[in-house]
Amino acid sequence: MLQNEDVRFTSSSIKLPLFSPPHLHLRTPNPFFANLHLVVQNFPKFPHPFRQNLNPTAAFLRTLSKFQHPFHQKFNPQNAILQFLRKPIIPFSWNLSNTSPLLCCASIALSQSNLDDSAPSLGTKTGSGNEERVLISEVLVRSKDGEELERKDLESEVLNALKACRPNSALTVQEVQEDVHRIIASGYFCSCMPVAVDTRDGIRLVFQVEPNQEFHGLVCEGANVLPARFIEDSFRDGYGKIVNIKRIDEIISSINGWYMERGLFGAVSGVEMLSGGMIKLEVSEAEVNNIAIRFLDKTGEPTVGKTRPETILRQLTTKKGQVYSMLQGKRDVDTVLAMGIMEDVSIIPQPAGDTGKVDLVMNVVERKSGGGISAGGGISSGITSGPLAGLIGSCAIYHKNLFGRNQKLNLSLERGQVDSVFRINYTDPWIEGDDKRTSRSIMIQNSRTPGTLVHNQPDGSLTIGRVTAGIEYSRPFRPKWNGTAGIIFQRAGARDDKGSPIIRDYYSSPLTASGNTHDDMLLAKLETVYTGSGDPGSSVFVFNMDQGLPVWSDWLVFNRVNARARKGLALGPMHLLLSFSGGHVVGNFPPHEAFAIGGTNSVRGYEEGAVGSSRSYVVGCGEISFPLMGPVEGAVFADYGSDLGSGPSVPGDPAGPRRKPGSGYGCGVGIRVDSPLGPLRLEYAFNDQRTGRFHFGVGLRN
């Protein structure tokens, strides 16, 4: 098998045994045709399959060197050929490659006994050239032994391939040569020798052909990833039939195409005809011999990396001993880039000596610094009243590559006019020693968020303070599916606008489930996430459940489940997006943890939480977007949400005194602008109470 620096494989020649043509003993011919041998030189661009660096043209000219040079002005090609070829000539032979035609070289011999150089010529010159034409009275097809072919269908294949060689036609050597090539090009024959016989009725041209063997079995070597059924199906229709080289070439192309479609380094490297009608198919597949990590600086020079090589190698799905796949290599590059600590990644395959395998070198350029300080701002969609009430400022101190293991530490502070969040988060994206890609996250958080979603106060603001600590483990368990499990402790309570703890709202509804200034709970968390292609609008499904554990007598015990799904469909240039969400709570839970219905990510046309505060809920949305110009899209939508009559079952019934309807719908129009943060959404919607409202959001609906 041949290899080049790009680790590509090319097919070697098919090996077929040559045969020597029989010596025919015919009656005395016309003296002109005594020992007449017409030699058709091979095409120079096709190599001989059994000898390297063979130039048939040069060999032919060297043999004729005892005569005048064939291109000399006084050269008589007819006499030179008559004097030269006294011996039988090796018949047509062929080799097979992926890019070259099947024809390689051909020899035509018109044999008789006795030579008479002075015999008169019976040919006639035609046209402006010097090539002699010979009148042919009859054209026959025979086996290599001169007998009639047993299979008339093969005789028909020969006759159908002939174009110039017809009875009662004057032929040149070139025309006979071309017809020989047409016979071989049919794919059914391994040799063809035209023989001229002088008869009483004129010159008879006999094509002595040797058909290929009948196909009775297949031996395939080296195909480790190529499915056996694919090979069997490719050869199935040829069992018991004469081997057709053209069909074999098509099969080889289909096998090589199978590898190319999957980005695999593999190809057919050889085909050999064995005795008994057996075909031996050799396939070469480049297995991965070794994988090395090479750190480069921005100028492309080798440098010392901060990341441990094993941290990068375990991210790769390509392993030693596998057949190298370029598509899999591309996914590995994307995975390493997703670590967030590399600026550039590439994979270079190189031949591993003469082993037929490949060595992979992954070149990585690390980011200049794994840590730093960042600052920014944003808008909270949950706060919709008051000047600048929704603006949030943030700052963070972070490190993305602790100890060279891609572990991340983040200390962040978000502060708004009403809400604030201080968070310490440590994440290990892949726990060392685990082969399931399990990640671990430890979190401590102190937050204050608006309580207006459930308990909007007419006499001032109300905030919910939470102190949370927990640990979560997450890992993929199926393609596109990810699971998370964890334990979270939370202490939550309500405060007024002065920061003082309160246990009842303006309408004397309780703000805690325990009756104390705060509620304590230990939650066991389970979550399953399905993500489709990852493109905006692709399918998404999320299911999560929180279970309160009664570790202490005054800790809350409840069960909360929540699910949401999103599906995108293409409608020509437009895009239909359908989304659904729903949930239910059983047990004694804090009233501020009730499901809030209404708002930008719920039922548009209503303020946040204005439809209902419930123990159960459903929300559905349908949206059609269409391109306007450039990155701008238009959209029309309709939303509906309901508390399923569960509003009064929330402790204190916060929705009742606030006259929330419990169900409602909204519809409207909007525009979308693509941005690095996701789609920027500006929308205007009317609700079923005939009031309108603007909404602004970032990203797709939850």
Side-chain angles (χ1 to χ4, degrees), residues 278-415:
M278 300 293 293
I279 294 180
K280 181 180 178 181
L281 186 70
E282 296 179 0
V283 178
S284 297
E285 297 175 345
E287 295 181 353
V288 177
N289 179 64
N290 187 44
I291 306 176
I293 304 298
R294 181 167 58 189
F295 293 93
L296 304 177
D297 57 22
K298 291 186 176 181
T299 63
E301 296 297 325
T303 185
V304 178
K306 301 176 182 178
T307 306
R308 297 189 178 188
E310 59 268 22
T311 300
I312 301 175
L313 289 173
R314 69 178 182 176
Q315 301 287 335
L316 308 183
T317 58
T318 301
K319 304 298 181 183
K320 295 180 181 179
Q322 293 181 349
V323 177
Y324 178 58
S325 168
M326 293 181 290
L327 299 181
Q328 190 175 10
K330 181 180 183 302
R331 290 193 294 267
D332 287 338
V333 169
D334 294 339
T335 300
V336 175
L337 286 173
M339 296 170 64
I341 57 177
M342 302 298 173
E343 189 171 304
D344 186 45
V345 180
S346 61
I347 293 181
I348 308 299
Q350 299 176 342
D354 297 329
T355 63
K357 299 182 179 182
V358 293
D359 289 332
L360 302 182
V361 178
M362 173 169 279
N363 295 324
V364 296
V365 179
E366 294 181 300
R367 294 189 183 275
K368 187 174 183 181
S369 175
I373 300 175
S374 65
I379 297 177
S380 173
S381 61
I383 303 175
T384 56
S385 61
L388 304 179
L391 293 180
I392 298 175
S394 65
C395 65
I397 301 174
Y398 63 89
H399 200 291
K400 295 184 177 180
N401 194 15
L402 282 176
F403 316 116
R405 297 180 180 274
N406 195 33
Q407 299 172 0
K408 307 178 189 302
L409 180 64
N410 188 71
L411 285 76
S412 63
L413 174 65
E414 297 179 1
R415 180 69 180 176

Side-chain angles (χ1 to χ4, degrees), residues 211-524:
N212 296 324
Q213 302 179 55
E214 289 187 358
F215 176 48
H216 293 297
L218 174 70
V219 177
C220 185
E221 296 180 354
N224 298 319
V225 298
L226 183 66
R229 177 173 291 275
F230 182 86
I231 303 176
E232 293 172 359
D233 292 343
S234 299
F235 284 90
R236 189 182 306 278
D237 59 354
Y239 280 99
K241 300 179 181 179
I242 294 293
V243 173
N244 189 302
I245 305 305
K246 293 171 61 177
R247 175 57 182 160
I248 297 296
D249 195 34
E250 292 174 359
I251 293 175
I252 292 174
S253 298
S254 67
I255 293 175
N256 293 341
W258 186 91
Y259 283 102
M260 293 183 61
E261 289 174 1
R262 290 154 181 80
L264 295 170
F265 272 30
V268 176
S269 58
V271 180
E272 184 175 356
M273 289 292 301
L274 305 177
S275 60
M278 300 293 293
I279 294 180
K280 181 180 178 181
L281 186 70
E282 296 179 0
V283 178
S284 297
E285 297 175 345
E287 295 181 353
V288 177
N289 179 64
N290 187 44
I291 306 176
I293 304 298
R294 181 167 58 189
F295 293 93
L296 304 177
D297 57 22
K298 291 186 176 181
T299 63
E301 296 297 325
T303 185
V304 178
K306 301 176 182 178
T307 306
R308 297 189 178 188
E310 59 268 22
T311 300
I312 301 175
L313 289 173
R314 69 178 182 176
Q315 301 287 335
L316 308 183
T317 58
T318 301
K319 304 298 181 183
K320 295 180 181 179
Q322 293 181 349
V323 177
Y324 178 58
S325 168
M326 293 181 290
L327 299 181
Q328 190 175 10
K330 181 180 183 302
R331 290 193 294 267
D332 287 338
V333 169
D334 294 339
T335 300
V336 175
L337 286 173
M339 296 170 64
I341 57 177
M342 302 298 173
E343 189 171 304
D344 186 45
V345 180
S346 61
I347 293 181
I348 308 299
Q350 299 176 342
D354 297 329
T355 63
K357 299 182 179 182
V358 293
D359 289 332
L360 302 182
V361 178
M362 173 169 279
N363 295 324
V364 296
V365 179
E366 294 181 300
R367 294 189 183 275
K368 187 174 183 181
S369 175
I373 300 175
S374 65
I379 297 177
S380 173
S381 61
I383 303 175
T384 56
S385 61
L388 304 179
L391 293 180
I392 298 175
S394 65
C395 65
I397 301 174
Y398 63 89
H399 200 291
K400 295 184 177 180
N401 194 15
L402 282 176
F403 316 116
R405 297 180 180 274
N406 195 33
Q407 299 172 0
K408 307 178 189 302
L409 180 64
N410 188 71
L411 285 76
S412 63
L413 174 65
E414 297 179 1
R415 180 69 180 176
Q417 191 173 3
V418 176
D419 53 350
S420 64
V421 178
F422 174 73
R423 181 186 298 112
I424 301 175
N425 191 76
Y426 164 80
T427 301
D428 185 354
W430 193 338
I431 300 175
E432 187 175 1
D434 178 79
D435 60 350
K436 304 295 185 180
R437 303 182 70 93
T438 303
S439 65
R440 175 177 54 213
S441 180
I442 301 173
M443 175 268 298
I444 301 175
Q445 178 177 294
N446 187 352
S447 65
R448 187 179 70 175
T449 58
T452 55
L453 294 179
V454 177
H455 300 90
N456 53 316
Q457 301 280 78
D459 60 344
S461 62
L462 182 150
T463 59
I464 305 298
R466 296 180 178 88
V467 177
T468 306
I471 181 170
E472 294 181 353
Y473 292 87
S474 178
R475 81 177 196 190
F477 59 90
R478 290 188 63 184
K480 302 182 181 180
W481 287 89
N482 194 77
T484 301
I487 294 289
I488 300 173
F489 173 81
Q490 177 177 290
R491 169 172 286 187
R495 296 179 180 272
D496 59 17
D497 56 349
K498 297 179 181 180
S500 301
I502 56 176
I503 60 175
R504 293 188 177 274
D505 64 4
Y506 177 81
Y507 298 99
S508 298
S509 299
L511 295 173
T512 60
S514 63
N516 301 323
T517 57
H518 59 268
D519 290 322
D520 293 334
M521 61 198 83
L522 183 65
L523 302 177

Side-chain angles (χ1 to χ4, degrees), residues 616-637:
S616 304
Y617 86 103
V618 291
V619 170
C621 167
E623 179 177 297
I624 296 178
S625 59
F626 46 88
L628 293 178
M629 59 179 183
V632 181
E633 292 184 343
V636 294
F637 56 83

Side-chain angles (χ1 to χ4, degrees), residues 12-18 46-50 90-97 101-106 181 184-185 187-192 210-213 243-246 248-249 252 271-273 279:
S12 65
S13 61
I14 290 182
K15 304 173 185 178
L16 289 178
L18 295 177
F46 301 138
H48 193 283
F50 306 112
I90 295 176
F92 186 91
S93 60
W94 49 268
N95 80 331
L96 180 62
S97 68
L102 298 176
L103 303 182
C104 172
C105 59
H181 282 284
I184 298 299
Y188 291 101
F189 306 96
C190 60
S191 69
C192 176
E210 181 182 6
N212 296 324
Q213 302 179 55
V243 173
N244 189 302
I245 305 305
K246 293 171 61 177
I248 297 296
D249 195 34
I252 292 174
V271 180
E272 184 175 356
M273 289 292 301
I279 294 180

Side-chain angles (χ1 to χ4, degrees), residues 19-24 87-91 109 111 144-145 193 195 208:
F19 73 97
S20 298
H23 294 278
L24 301 181
K87 299 180 180 180
I89 296 179
I90 295 176
S111 304
K144 67 175 183 177
D145 299 323
M193 177 179 294
V195 178
Q208 295 182 347

